[in-house]
Amino acid sequence: MAAEKGFQEVLMNTAPHSLRDAQETEPAPMPRSFDAHGVEPIPESGRDSSPRDQWWIWVGANVAPINWVLGALGITLGLTLIETLIVISLGNIVGCGVFGLFNMMGHRTGVNQMVLGRAAFGRKGAVIPGVMQGLLTMGWVGVNTWVVLDLAVALLGKIGIHGGDGLKYAVAAVVMAAQLGLAVFGFYAIRTFERWTVPATVLVMAVMTVLSLTQADLSWTSGTADSGADKVTAITQLLTAIGIGWGISWVPYSADYSRFVPSRYSGRSVFWATALGMYVPTVWLAALGACLATTGQGGDPSELVISAFGVMALPVLLLIMHGPVATNILNLYSCALAALSVGVRASRWKVTLVAGAVATAVLLVFMQSHSFAESFDHWMTSILVWISPWAAVMLTEFFILRRGRLDVAKLYSNQGPAWRWRALVALAAGIVAAWSWQYGLVPVMQGPLARSMHNTDFSWLSGAVVAGGLHYFLTRHEHRGARNRPATAD
């Protein structure tokens, strides 16, 4: 009951203005190009984003081919189309809701996500998730670029441009240069890119959706999972891949961008803009992938569109090329912030260049070895098992134990504890619990509970419950006076 009351108190303490009110009463922000900010709190004068900008950032990151393939996974696992759509729609309500709450943290404090972790884990303790985040983001840049290269080359062939492997390397170079350039310029360039390119991408995706579905003969009720146990297994694996697990996988990035939203906007508007910015494109594209997977023409909806509508080759190419850029600029930017958060002493743009160089090397290795790239992709997906326990600790610390009141100055000083061992113990226990009930693509990431319970995957749930619950019971005595402490950041 106390936890619930505290959570309600946080929601009521959001800034009073709605998005509409702020837009009507506040002047438009001055245009900016280069983002010189590192991991220090963003001052009010540097916050010139809006909930609408946040919406386009997260829509852009999720209008991507991977969501089509993951949506088709439900059909591959044996669920009917109706069952798949229900799981995707309901699961993402939870996952995207959690994502929206994390964006509220950045908005209220002006602090990026990995530095916010110091409140829960201590100054040095927060280095552990910070290193994990930095390494994963560099890996994802290589993976996300690699997965679209073959399709991009095929699309170029449809419009008469051929070149074999040389063309593939040229496309990779263009994509890497574009996304690295935007990430080096930082948040303001990212915001502008997403604001102007994503609406056109959404329009292309809408046309593709109409054309694809009018050519598809959908099967709504046929599925291969006959027994109840098989259906439960399929549902849990789909929830982890593109249901609840999808929104949770993005939470380490969230505050990196919402910290630029001025305090004149309400926390409620930030929550809805970011949660829906994640929910709408994810459910839309996953549902499209599921629908087209029932036609028996393969799990890649883009192939169906290309073969049926040659005139759409160029728009589809733009959509495919936009996907990795819109996602990877977030990876590169957040990678640099994670590095700065763990103590790297350099300008953000310099760290971004180094991250881009490492990611380029990863991409070149992938292009030389297709089998290694697939194995690496599977491994990356599996080791996301740390995010749900980490997120549970963070949510418990910020919303329940601290009631949303955080002394931002202490995050950057030597006054607080270097290590908060109870939080780290809770995180470690949560990771073990998540691994135990994870059924990953890599055999070592298939835990004993998952295997013994018909290959179900409740990793996100077991990890969150154990880590969040243990963190609350181990550290609640440290925050008994939190309700009476004044907030230092809105």
Side-chain angles (χ1 to χ4, degrees), residues 22-107:
Q23 289 175 330
E24 291 177 350
T25 60
E26 299 289 345
M30 294 295 291
R32 302 171 187 261
S33 57
F34 184 76
D35 171 19
H37 297 294
V39 294
E40 71 282 356
I42 304 297
E44 196 68 26
S45 61
R47 298 194 192 189
D48 68 344
S49 183
S50 68
R52 182 176 298 176
D53 291 333
Q54 300 292 309
W55 155 269
W56 287 121
I57 287 173
W58 297 112
V59 170
N62 287 279
V63 180
I66 184 61
N67 288 356
W68 307 342
V69 179
L70 290 176
L73 180 63
I75 307 303
T76 304
L77 291 171
L79 296 177
T80 67
L81 177 56
I82 293 178
E83 292 166 342
T84 299
L85 296 180
I86 291 174
V87 171
I88 291 172
S89 300
L90 297 182
N92 274 283
I93 291 176
V94 178
C96 296
V98 171
F99 177 75
L101 291 175
F102 270 81
N103 278 278
M104 290 176 66
M105 294 185 196
H107 172 242

Side-chain angles (χ1 to χ4, degrees), residues 11 52 96 130 135 144 146 152 179 185 195 231 266 329 386:
L11 291 180
R52 182 176 298 176
C96 296
L135 293 175
N144 292 335
W146 166 74
Q179 56 201 18
F185 271 85
R195 179 193 294 168
K231 284 188 180 293
S266 71
I329 53 180
W386 68 274

Side-chain angles (χ1 to χ4, degrees), residues 298-321:
D300 190 345
S302 60
E303 292 288 356
L304 176 63
V305 175
I306 296 168
S307 61
F309 303 98
V311 70
M312 285 292 293
L314 183 57
V316 172
L317 173 64
L318 296 176
L319 173 65
I320 296 300
M321 297 291 284

Side-chain angles (χ1 to χ4, degrees), residues 222-467:
S222 61
T224 59
D226 298 325
S227 68
D230 289 339
K231 284 188 180 293
V232 171
T233 297
I235 289 171
T236 64
Q237 293 184 9
L238 186 62
L239 278 174
T240 300
I242 194 64
I244 294 174
W246 185 258
I248 292 176
S249 71
W250 279 103
V251 296
Y253 302 76
S254 50
D256 296 353
Y257 307 92
S258 61
R259 65 185 182 142
F260 286 92
V261 178
S263 59
R264 69 175 182 269
Y265 293 105
S266 71
R268 189 175 292 108
S269 67
V270 172
F271 171 86
W272 285 111
T274 54
L276 290 176
M278 180 70 62
Y279 183 89
V280 172
T282 300
V283 173
W284 173 13
L285 270 67
L288 176 61
C291 288
L292 297 182
T294 66
T295 64
Q297 300 185 48
D300 190 345
S302 60
E303 292 288 356
L304 176 63
V305 175
I306 296 168
S307 61
F309 303 98
V311 70
M312 285 292 293
L314 183 57
V316 172
L317 173 64
L318 296 176
L319 173 65
I320 296 300
M321 297 291 284
H322 179 274
V325 174
T327 302
N328 284 338
I329 53 180
L330 305 185
N331 277 310
L332 289 167
Y333 183 76
S334 288
C335 178
L337 294 183
L340 297 176
S341 298
V342 304
V344 173
R345 296 184 180 276
S347 299
R348 180 200 55 78
W349 68 270
K350 294 179 181 178
V351 179
T352 304
L353 285 175
V354 173
V358 174
T360 301
V362 171
L363 175 61
L364 291 174
V365 172
F366 287 172
M367 294 174 69
Q368 293 292 326
S369 176
H370 191 276
S371 60
F372 175 76
E374 286 188 340
S375 298
F376 188 86
D377 187 15
H378 294 168
W379 177 257
M380 289 275 287
T381 302
S382 297
I383 62 175
L384 291 175
V385 70
W386 68 274
I387 293 182
S388 64
W390 170 84
V393 171
M394 292 287 291
L395 287 173
T396 302
E397 180 74 21
F398 188 85
F399 286 108
I400 298 176
L401 294 173
R402 294 182 183 268
R403 304 292 196 269
R405 296 177 172 88
L406 191 63
D407 189 339
V408 172
K410 286 186 177 181
L411 298 177
Y412 299 87
S413 71
N414 294 323
Q415 297 179 14
W419 302 87
R420 294 192 67 200
W421 292 108
R422 293 181 179 89
L424 291 169
V425 167
L427 175 62
I431 291 174
V432 172
W435 169 80
S436 298
W437 212 337
Q438 180 189 40
Y439 193 75
L441 296 172
V442 180
V444 73
M445 303 303 290
Q446 296 173 357
L449 273 178
R451 293 196 305 269
S452 65
M453 302 186 71
H454 202 64
N455 300 337
T456 54
D457 191 328
F458 278 109
S459 56
W460 53 270
L461 179 61
S462 58
V465 169
V466 170

